[in-house]
Amino acid sequence: AFLARPEAAAFQALLPRAPLLLVFGGQDAYIPADAVERIRSTVGAAKKDVTIEVFADQDHVVFRHISAERAPG
């Protein structure tokens, strides 16, 4: 939803001047696929060196590793 707002132009100005990797989970309820596509479109239009990877079977915290004793529930 963020990139649908007027702040999107300001976001473009903040894009990095170095290569950037953005990682998303395909099952993320907080950052849905349409938001990822808006991000992809925004960085593409800005012609920045940004790679976007989506791990289809992951949720919001893609690289979360929790030991059994610390796992919720």
Side-chain angles (χ1 to χ4, degrees), residues 3 9 16 18 22 24 39 47 59 66-67:
L3 294 177
L22 298 174
F24 298 95
I39 292 168
K47 298 190 183 346
D59 63 10
I66 299 176
S67 64

Side-chain angles (χ1 to χ4, degrees), residues 23-48:
V23 178
F24 298 95
Q27 303 300 313
D28 191 336
Y30 299 101
I31 306 172
D34 63 322
V36 174
E37 289 310 310
R38 286 195 306 274
I39 292 168
R40 188 184 311 274
S41 175
T42 299
V43 297
K47 298 190 183 346
K48 297 293 182 174

Side-chain angles (χ1 to χ4, degrees), residues 37-62:
E37 289 310 310
R38 286 195 306 274
I39 292 168
R40 188 184 311 274
S41 175
T42 299
V43 297
K47 298 190 183 346
K48 297 293 182 174
D49 187 5
V50 178
T51 300
I52 296 176
E53 295 289 340
V54 177
F55 290 83
D57 62 338
Q58 296 296 311
D59 63 10
H60 186 69
V61 184
V62 174

